Each structure stands twice: as C-alpha cells, then as structure tokens.
C-alpha cells in the first residue's frame, strides 16, 4: 500500500500494520513537515527514501463531488493513469481504469484495489463513500507493485479511509450538497421533419415518397425533437455526518452517508446508505497495536437494460435503447399519438418501417420494463501488531469482503414489446419476470514478521517475510417466469404468474439456474530494504504465488523486483544548489497475471475463466423435467495454460526546489508482457476442435510492449496568510506495440508491429463526380471497390489514447477559495457509429438523417462530398476511415468556488463553515460529435454519457 501522510517531525509515529498515526507534541511549535509513504502491507518510507513510481491523491480531490464512485474524481489527477467512465448511468460499474497502457490483449487489465491494507475484488465501489477516503495512491512500477505479486501486474490503486488521531478532541463534521444534472448535447447536423420528407421523396421510400414538393413545403405536422421527450433534468443530493475523537491510547472515526441520484433518462436512479467505523488502539507501553475497519453499505438502483453485461447488445437496439432514439428517432412521429402498448399494437402492429420504433422507447420510459437491483455489502478487517522488541514485530491482518446482491427485472404484460411478441404467436399472456440472488464472500489474511535494524550511524536494514492467503466463495441462483396475467401481476410481488400446463408445453415454461464457484490464491514472499546515510538505497522483493486457476507446475509462479535510489541533493557538490530534494531512482521487476480472462464490468476477476485447464469439450447438464443433455463450452481447454508475465523497467527523477515552491517527477518506463493468453493456431492436418469445428486453442502465445514518459509538476506561486496560489499539471505519453501475435483479418488488428487497438483501413477520398459512388485510395490508386482483407493498411491511429493528463489551480484570497481542474486526452481515434447511421440512406424511412444527405450526389448536383443516396458501394465505407473521428478532448472536469465564514462569526461551538458552488463536466472542447468522447469504445454507439452537473453545498465542523 502506498499512502502518503503529512507527519509532524516532532510528533511520535505509531506504525500499526497498515496505518500510520502522528501525535503532535503540543508544547512545541512545529513547522517542518515530512512526507511518509506506506509502500505495501506494513512497509513505510519517507519521500526522499522512496524508490517507487507512485502518485497520491488527497481527500480534497474526492470530497463533495457528485460522483457515485471516487474513480470518476481521479480523472487527470495522476500521470500514467487513464480513467474512462464508459457509462454515466447512476451507480454504473462501467469504469475503464488503465495504468501505463493495456498489458494484455485478452486478459484483465484492471488494476488491483486495496482498501485499508486488504485486497478488494470490487471494481465498482458503489457502496464506498468517497467522503470517507483520506488518500488514494496509484502504484505504477514494479518496485511498488511486486509486493502484491500475481494481483499487481496491472498496477495497484490503494485506498486509505479516514482515521481518528490520538490526543485529539471530539469533532463532528457535516457536509451536504444538492445539484442538477443535464445530458450533454450532440453535434450532429440532423434534418427536421421537412428535411426528412425531402430525403424520403428523393429515395422513394417512407412517408415522404408520396409527397409533392409543394406538400412538403406546406407540411405543418409533427416536428419532434426526441431529446426533449426522452430526457429530464437529473437531481443529485448527498449528506454525510462524521465524528472523530482520540484519547491517549484509543482513537475512532465514525461516519454515516446518504447519496441519491436520479438520472436524466427516466427510470434510472441510484441510492446509497453507508456506515463506517475505524477504530485504533495501542497498549500503554506501545508494544501492542490494534486497528479495525468496518464498513456497511446498502444501495439500490434502477437502470436501462443495456447497462448489464448480459444485455450489452441492446446498446444499438432500435426498440430498447432510448439513447439511440434521442438522436435517430424520426421527427415525423407524434409523441402523443399512443398512450399505451395496447394502443400502439392496435395502431401499427409490428410494422416499424416508418419510424414507429420511438414509440416502443417511449413505452419503456413509462416504466413498462421495470428493474430493481440492490447490493448489501460488509467490509471488515482487523489488524494486530506485537512489537517483540524495538527491532522485531509480528503482524496479522485479516478481513472479509461480503456482498449480497439481488436483481429483479420484467417485461410488463401490457408493455408494447410483450404484446408485439405474444399476439402474433397466439399466446394469451405475454411478458416475463426474472429474479436472481448472488452471494460473494472473500476472505484475506496476511501474516508478517518485520525486522528493522540501524547499524552505526549510516546503515539501516529492513527485512520482512509474509504469508498472504485469499479465498473467494460465490453462489448465484436465478429464475425466470414467462407469461404474466395483467389483472393481478405486480412487479416484484410474485403474483400474476400463469401456470405451466402439459396441454401447452411450449408456453409458460419456468426456468431456473444455479452457479457455485470457489477460488483462491496463496503467496509467501520477502522484502529487503537497505539505506546508507540517507544518500543511497536499494530495495528488493521476491514472491512465490500460487493460484487455483492452473495445474501442475504452472500453478506456482515466482515474481520479483529490484530497485535503487541516489539522493543527489545529499552530495557535497549539491550544497547551496537550491534543491531541497533531488532523487534519481530505477527499478526492474517481473510480475505475473493469473486473470487471463477479462471479467465483465464490476465482476470479481477470480470468478471468470475457472475452467481453462480442464480438457473437456462439453459439460453434462440436466434440462427441464430432468432430461439429460449437454452444454458445449465452445472452447477446447488447455491444461498447459499459465501466467502472463509482465516485466517492467522504470527510471525516474523526483525533485523539490526553490524552498519547496516547485516540485515534480519525471519517469520513463518500458513494460513488456510475455506469454499472452491468446489463440494458438494449428494446421488443419493436426486436427480440429470437435466442439467448435475450428483449428485454434487458447494458450500462452504472443508478446506486447508499452513504453512511455510521465511528467508531473506543481508550483506554489503565492503562499501568504491572506492569499495563496498554486498551479499544477501532469501528462503522460504511452506507445503500445504488439511484438508477437497471430494473423488477424479484422479492421482492429493485433499483429506484430501494430499498436494495441490500431485501425487497419483504407482511405476514403470522396465521391466519384460521374456516378455518385464512393471513392477510396488503395496503394495510391483511386478505386470504388477493394479487397476488404488484403487491402487494409495500418493507419497509425488507435482507439486507446496516446496522451492523457490534467492541470489546474488552487487559489484563495482571504476567505474566498477557487479550485479548478481540467483533464484531457489526445491522439485517440474511434468509429462514430451514430454518425454512420445518420448517413445511411437505407435507414431514412425509419431513422433521422444527417443534413449532409440533402446535398447528396445527383446528375444535377455532381460537385459534392456526399455520395448518391443509391450508391452501390456504401458498405465499403465500413472498411474505410470515412467515419473514423478524433476523440481527443479537453474538459473542465471540476470547478469549485466557495467562501469560508470568518471565525469571528462562528462563536465557540463552530469550528468551520464553508459554502460553495461546484460544477462537474461543465465544458468539453472536442471535435467529437457524439454525446461524450470519454467512453472507451472502439466504435461508439448510443451509450449513457457523463452528465453536466452544478451543485450547491455546505461543510460544517463542530
């Protein structure tokens, strides 16, 4: 764990396993502050002695933000960290967190999360209150992450929650805020109703096909902007109450939190209740130290169907995704034409050719596809340290992470989709309801012995040995009922189910399923740190990891790191140089990755890919009425699958200069992944997989590399009692390359020499003025058609950003304060799926089109960049860069302006009162035309964008 705490040098440090506490001597006026870094488990170092590449984000960056997860607040805060919110839906778990590039093609690239010293397998953090967090540290190089072994290959994010302080008074803090959120606007140029009719007339399909020009000019029917019909203003409110106190031997922090957010899309919302208690204690002689952390959380949310991983295909479903319809819904449709699903079916049946799809979306937003998901979580850990003598200590830290989740979703019997499916098939009762229960229990225990010895005046030695055990148990049950009686069905009540009958065996069949998974890891490892005269230092870690996922000799892997530093400012030739700190450090290490199958968003990576090494083609199964069958798994398992291995070299320079006014860090790294989990191709002569009929098997095959530079700077321009001003900036460049891989025929290739996620396309060069066909450049030749496999070429453009970063200011003038933070990404290219759809004439009978099509090629309009509406080669554009767009952006991520009431107005009982206004995602500068350039998709369709919010808040301390 790598947590940086400001520790008063005149205070007394108490190291309690994972926590560090400082007690100030109240009889002294202390000004000097040093920084302490907690590196992992119970390893610590001061900043000048730290050999790792790491960044720490403080509570001031996380508190009072209108975000359900703290991960949103990390955007642009650390060089080398890419944070992309793939869905702005309230309570969403769709976060893509990448540290120093993607380390695998198929395996998980999620970092490891550690909360208060314990490994967490949660990656959504719905039930973690951001206002309870003291610091978040991002560990990047092998020197920092090797101590976490098999779980640290993608970097580590360490969360330390707030703690009490010894010898402190009783303090009560309240913070509350309320805000409004709106959906960002798209920048597509779309036709109005008359434009839609004009295009339909020219194309010869749709309502406008029978209109004359005069009738179109005189049209005064519906001209609907479906954005106004589908969306609303979202509301966010949060309330947090915390209490903190500390005696001579005991301190405590307790908090209660409430968060409520309604989405801009009706039927979406999120509520969360949290309770946390962090207790620390020590014996009078200081030999025994104890701490406990207990967090309880409950959340409930309602979401759009496409939010769940299982239903991800609905993101471009024309009758299920309102975000799609808000852009592509036909303006010719009257939003008030139908009041119910029954009226819709009677009006147009299942004929959706003329744009009636938007009515199905309206029906959904009335709540006719209800769902409710809840999560109850308990995270508790306990640590005890016994100091045998001044050099040797023994520590055990054990904890549990328990989650109980429920899911309930339905298609109401009166919903249009239910009626449209049941009536044509002659089914009397339509609709369905499903419900599931999931239990996940994780247990982690770490036992360590640590020895620290100072030899003479210049030599310091730290040695630690550790045993780390992790166990996960998972159970899931689900049921589905087909056929709901509208007379007595109530969502979630278990009523209205139509009973199964043997006379109609094809109807109303209930189904049920159950899953059980047990997984675990075991590791033992040792660490060594040596310092000479605060000037030179070396550090090393060696770790032996075992996992349930592999078999035989592959079950165990040995991973390690070595690092060193040189504090140049301690040399005599640096006297009077102006440097308060100048430190050169370097490290190299090799870390394994056992999570070779990427989990779905929010899923524990230990729970996927549990059957990779069992050489079976199918699994026995029992179907309805105890009928014996089998389930083909589709993959020929490979007992030789083993760890992916990530080797990383890092060299960095840390400095503070000009009396600590300017501080910064520069890092260069090269990270190479070997033994990629990928397809292994055999010749057909060798044999095929009888379950799948192909000649591939999954195994360790391939290499890739990430290489980059990171820079972080902060400058304190002014630091007076009445006014302060600091500016900061960070940025990183990452170049990824595939070194070894199989042949690839897709437009996103992973072949030797390519970037990860690189587009292989042909150049779109315009329109043939003689016939209106699309023109492409292939090997210097202008053609209308080409080989969609062999003619594709590398573009040098990837859907993963090469550059990410952030910058901002922190300023105050007397009692007023202003904080502003920008984040940005550059050189990132994605296919704009919505732009493609709005330029597809074959859809104009149903969907709203781009105004560019009004200028489409005709024999009378030959000088244009829009192809003919009837061009025969439009599908070739899918293999070109016609709709490849720059998704770079600069965003004002967060700005806060506030006022602290003067202490003269507060009296004796109030310690502090702050009033503030806060904006989130207020301004975005980008060429991207869609809702949001941030989501990490290769091809962007209609996803729930991140909201623009403005909030008012207050902080009060008693």
């Amino acid at each position: 764990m790598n947590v940086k705490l400001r520790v008063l040098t005149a205070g007394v440090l108490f190291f309690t396993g994972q926590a560090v506490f400082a007690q100030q001597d109240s009889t002294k006026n202390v000004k000097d502050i040093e920084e302490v870094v907690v590196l992992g488990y119970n390893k610590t170092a001061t900043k000048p002695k730290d050999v790792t590449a790491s960044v720490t984000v403080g509570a001031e960056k996380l508190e009072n933000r209108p975000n359900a997860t703290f991960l949103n607040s990390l955007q642009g805060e650390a060089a080398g960290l890419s944070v992309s919110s793939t869905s702005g839906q309230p309570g969403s778990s769709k976060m893509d967190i990448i540290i120093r590039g993607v380390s695998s093609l198929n395996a998980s690239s999620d970092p490891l999360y550690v909360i208060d010293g314990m490994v967490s397998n949660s990656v959504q953090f719905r039930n973690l209150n951001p206002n309870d967090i003291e610091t978040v540290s991002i560990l990047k190089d092998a020197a920092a992450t090797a101590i976490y072994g098999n779980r640290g290959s993608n970097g580590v994010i360490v969360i330390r929650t707030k703690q009490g302080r010894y010898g402190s008074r009783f303090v009560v803090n309240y913070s509350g805020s309320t805000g409004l959120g709106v959906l960002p606007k798209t920048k597509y140029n779309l036709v109005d109703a008359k434009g839609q009719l004009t295009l339909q007339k020219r194309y010869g399909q749709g309502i406008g096909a029978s209109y004359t020009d005069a009738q179109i000019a005189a049209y005064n029917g519906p001209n609907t902007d479906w954005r106004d019909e589908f969306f609303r203003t979202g509301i966010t409110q949060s309330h947090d109450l915390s209490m903190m106190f500390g005696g001579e031997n005991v301190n405590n922090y307790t908090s209660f939190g409430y968060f409520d957010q309604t989405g801009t899309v009706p039927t979406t919302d999120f509520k969360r209740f949290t309770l946390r208690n962090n207790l620390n204690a020590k014996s009078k002689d200081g030999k025994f130290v104890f701490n406990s952390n207990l967090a309880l959380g409950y959340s409930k949310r309602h979401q759009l169907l496409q939010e769940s991983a299982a239903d991800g295909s609905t993101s471009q479903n024309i009758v299920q995704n309102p975000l799609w319809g808000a852009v592509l819904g036909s303006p010719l449709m009257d939003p008030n034409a139908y009041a119910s699903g029954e009226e819709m079916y009677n009006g147009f049946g299942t004929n959706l050719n003329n744009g009636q799809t938007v009515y199905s979306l309206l029906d959904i937003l009335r709540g006719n596809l209800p769902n409710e998901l809840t999560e109850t979580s308990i995270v508790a850990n306990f640590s005890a340290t016994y100091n045998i003598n001044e050099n040797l200590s023994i520590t055990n830290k054990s904890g549990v992470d328990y989650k109980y989740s429920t899911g309930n979703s339905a298609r109401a019997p009166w919903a249009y989709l239910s009626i449209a499916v049941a009536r044509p098939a002659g089914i009397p009762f339509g609709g369905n309801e499903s419900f599931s229960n999931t239990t996940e229990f994780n247990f982690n225990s770490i036992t360590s012995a640590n020895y620290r010895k100072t030899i003479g005046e210049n030599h310091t030695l730290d040695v630690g040995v550790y045993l780390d055990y992790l166990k996960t148990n998972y159970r899931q049950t689900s049921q589905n009922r087909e056929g709901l009686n509208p007379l007595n069905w109530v969502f979630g009540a278990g009523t209205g189910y139509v009973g199964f009958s043997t006379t109609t065996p094809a109807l109303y069949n209930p189904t049920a399923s159950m899953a059980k998974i047990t997984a675990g890891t075991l590791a033992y490892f040792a660490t060594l740190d040596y310092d000479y005269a605060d000037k030179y230092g070396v550090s090393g870690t060696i770790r032996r990891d075992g996992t349930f996922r592999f078999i035989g000799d592959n079950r165990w892997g040995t991973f390690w790191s070595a690092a060193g530093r040189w504090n140049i400012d301690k040399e005599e030739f640096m006297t009077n140089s102006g440097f308060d700190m100048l430190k050169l450090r370097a490290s190299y290490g090799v870390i394994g990755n056992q999570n070779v199958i990427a989990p779905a968003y929010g899923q524990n990576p230990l729970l996927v890919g549990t059957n990779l090494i069992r050489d079976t083609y199918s699994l026995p199964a029992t179907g309805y009425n105890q009928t014996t069958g089998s389930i083909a798994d589709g993959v020929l398992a490979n007992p030789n699958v083993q760890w992916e291995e990530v080797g990383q070299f890092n060299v960095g320079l840390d400095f503070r200069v000009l009396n600590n006014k300017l501080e910064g860090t520069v890092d260069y790294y090269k990270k190479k992944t070997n033994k990629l989990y990928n397809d292994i191709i055999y010749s057909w002569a060798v044999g095929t997989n009888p379950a799948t009929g192909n000649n591939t098997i999954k195994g360790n095959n391939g290499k890739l590399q990430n290489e980059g530079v990171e820079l972080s700077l902060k400058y304190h321009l002014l630091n007076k009692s009445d006014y302060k001003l600091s500016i900061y900036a960070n940025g990183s460049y990452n170049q990824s390359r595939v070194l070894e891989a199989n042949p690839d025929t897709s437009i996103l290739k992973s072949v030797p020499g390519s970037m990860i996620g690189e587009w292989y396309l042909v150049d779109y060069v315009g329109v043939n003025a003689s016939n209106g066909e699309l023109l492409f450049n292939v090997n210097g030749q202008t053609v209308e058609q080409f080989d969609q496999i062999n003619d594709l070429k590398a573009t040098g453009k990837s859907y993963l950003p090469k550059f990410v970063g952030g910058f901002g200011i922190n300023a105050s003038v007397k009692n007023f304060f202003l904080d502003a933070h920008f984040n940005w990404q550059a050189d990132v290219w994605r296919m704009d799926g919505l732009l493609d759809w709005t330029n597809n004439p074959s859809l104009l009978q149903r969907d709203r089109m781009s105004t560019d099509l009004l200028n489409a090629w005709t024999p009378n309009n030959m000088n244009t960049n829009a192809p003919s509406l009837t061009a025969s080669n439009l599908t070739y554009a899918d293999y070109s860069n016609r709709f490849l767009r720059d998704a770079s952006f600069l965003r004002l991520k967060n700005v806060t302006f506030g006022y602290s009431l003067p202490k003269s107005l507060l009296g004796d009982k109030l310690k502090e009162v702050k009033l503030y206004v806060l904006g989130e995602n207020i301004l975005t500068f980008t060429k991207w035309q869609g809702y949001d350039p941030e989501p990490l998709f290769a091809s962007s369709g209609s996803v729930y964008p991140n909201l623009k919010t403005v909030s008012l808040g207050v902080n009060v301390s008693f």
Side-chain angles (χ1 to χ4, degrees), residues 43-315:
K43 288 187 60 180
T44 63
T46 59
K47 181 63 177 178
K49 294 183 179 181
D50 182 20
V51 298
T52 69
S54 59
V55 179
T56 296
V57 178
E60 70 279 0
K61 297 289 187 177
L62 310 173
E63 295 173 333
N64 306 317
R65 300 280 289 274
N67 299 318
T69 171
F70 75 94
L71 294 173
N72 275 316
S73 302
L74 294 181
Q75 290 177 326
E77 295 289 356
L81 173 68
S82 173
V83 179
S84 297
S85 177
T86 305
S87 173
Q89 193 154 190
S92 174
S93 65
K94 291 187 174 182
M95 300 292 298
D96 288 291
I97 314 298
I98 300 174
I99 298 177
R100 291 187 167 182
V102 174
S103 298
S104 179
L105 296 179
N106 295 300
S108 171
S109 288
D110 291 326
L112 171 70
Y113 296 90
V114 179
I115 304 177
D116 291 326
M118 302 301 296
V119 169
S120 171
N121 289 306
S122 301
V123 293
Q124 34 49 7
F125 298 109
R126 289 191 190 98
N127 289 5
L128 176 62
N129 186 351
N131 286 322
D132 282 337
I133 298 176
E134 182 73 37
T135 57
V136 175
S137 295
I138 297 94
L139 314 187
K140 299 183 287 187
D141 69 341
T145 62
I147 195 169
Y148 292 102
N150 70 86
R151 300 188 291 265
S153 61
N154 297 318
V156 182
I157 292 181
V158 177
I159 302 137
R160 182 179 188 270
T161 60
K162 294 176 181 178
Q163 308 286 328
R165 298 289 184 267
Y166 290 112
S168 63
R169 70 181 186 90
F170 184 76
V171 177
V172 178
N173 293 287
Y174 166 79
S175 63
S177 67
T178 184
L180 303 178
V182 297
L183 211 65
K185 294 183 178 180
T186 62
K187 292 182 283 187
Y188 302 113
N189 296 316
L190 302 175
V191 297
D192 60 7
K194 290 183 179 180
Q196 190 80 1
L197 290 170
T198 299
L199 290 174
Q200 290 179 350
K201 174 180 172 56
R202 294 176 183 178
Y203 194 67
Q205 289 185 8
I207 299 171
S210 60
Y211 276 48
T212 65
D213 290 340
Q215 287 175 317
I216 293 176
Y219 175 82
N220 64 354
N223 186 21
T224 306
D225 184 346
W226 288 100
R227 176 189 174 93
D228 297 334
E229 303 297 330
F230 285 169
F231 302 140
R232 66 187 179 187
T233 298
I235 300 175
T236 300
Q237 63 170 316
S238 66
H239 302 277
D240 292 278
L241 181 68
S242 66
M243 294 165 283
M244 184 186 304
F245 72 89
E248 179 181 358
N249 298 312
V250 177
N251 65 61
N252 188 79
Y253 170 84
T254 301
S255 73
F256 304 88
Y258 171 72
F259 182 86
D260 185 1
Q261 186 175 58
T262 59
T264 55
V265 179
T267 73
T268 65
D269 58 56
F270 175 73
K271 288 182 175 65
R272 176 182 64 210
F273 301 87
T274 59
L275 167 65
R276 173 171 290 276
N277 181 263
N278 293 340
L279 174 69
N280 303 281
K282 60 185 178 69
S283 62
K284 188 173 183 178
D285 61 4
K287 282 185 170 293
F288 180 77
V289 183
F290 170 83
N291 64 70
S292 68
N293 301 278
L294 175 64
L296 307 178
Y298 172 80
S299 62
K300 180 172 68 175
R301 68 190 190 278
H302 303 91
Q303 62 187 23
L304 292 178
L305 186 61
Q306 64 269 19
E307 178 69 19
S308 65
D311 296 308
S313 60
T314 64
S315 63

Side-chain angles (χ1 to χ4, degrees), residues 34-35 76 105 316 336 498 501 575 578 713 746 769 801 845 906 922:
E34 187 53 89
E35 194 171 29
L105 296 179
Q316 293 187 12
N336 301 310
V498 178
S501 173
T575 303
L713 294 171
S746 66
Q845 181 176 347
L906 301 182
I922 296 300

Side-chain angles (χ1 to χ4, degrees), residues 2 41 130 143 301 515 534 608 723 867 941 954:
N2 186 26
Y41 297 93
R301 68 190 190 278
D534 295 339
V608 296
Y723 50 89
V954 59

Side-chain angles (χ1 to χ4, degrees), residues 101-106 644-645 671-676 702-706 736-740 754 756:
V102 174
S103 298
S104 179
L105 296 179
N106 295 300
E644 291 187 344
E645 293 184 354
K671 184 167 63 170
K672 183 182 292 187
T673 306
N674 295 310
K675 302 180 182 178
L676 289 174
K703 299 178 181 180
L704 62 82
Q705 175 179 284
N706 286 277
S736 64
R737 289 289 177 195
V738 177
L739 303 180
E740 294 180 11
S754 70
I756 301 174

Side-chain angles (χ1 to χ4, degrees), residues 714-844:
K714 187 171 186 178
Y715 186 64
H716 307 279
L717 281 80
L718 303 171
N719 190 16
K720 303 296 183 180
S721 59
D722 287 340
Y723 50 89
K724 294 179 173 62
L725 177 62
S726 298
I727 60 174
Y728 63 89
N730 71 77
S732 61
Y733 165 79
N734 182 78
Q735 176 69 67
S736 64
R737 289 289 177 195
V738 177
L739 303 180
E740 294 180 11
N742 292 317
D744 194 337
T745 60
S746 66
I747 60 175
L748 273 175
K749 294 185 187 297
S750 297
V751 296
S754 70
M755 296 185 293
I756 301 174
E758 182 172 0
W759 295 101
Y760 276 69
L761 304 164
V762 301
D763 291 328
Y764 171 68
V765 294
V767 177
N768 189 334
S770 64
N771 60 13
E773 297 288 295
L774 285 73
L775 293 177
F776 309 93
N777 183 295
V778 178
N779 299 322
Q781 301 294 317
T782 300
V783 299
E784 294 181 1
Q785 298 182 3
F786 52 86
D787 187 322
Q788 296 172 353
I789 295 178
N790 298 316
D791 286 338
L792 303 183
K793 67 174 184 178
T795 62
K797 299 175 180 178
S798 170
Y799 77 92
L800 298 170
K802 286 185 182 179
F803 300 90
V804 296
F807 61 90
I809 64 169
N810 307 116
S812 64
V813 177
K814 293 189 176 180
N815 293 87
F816 292 93
F817 58 90
L818 173 67
D819 299 310
H821 175 69
F822 294 81
N823 71 299
W824 55 272
Q825 66 179 27
D827 202 358
V828 50
W829 298 84
R830 295 179 182 139
M831 284 290 180
D832 192 336
L834 281 176
L835 184 63
D836 188 354
W837 282 42
T838 61
N839 281 271
N840 188 344
S842 67
L843 302 174
L844 62 80

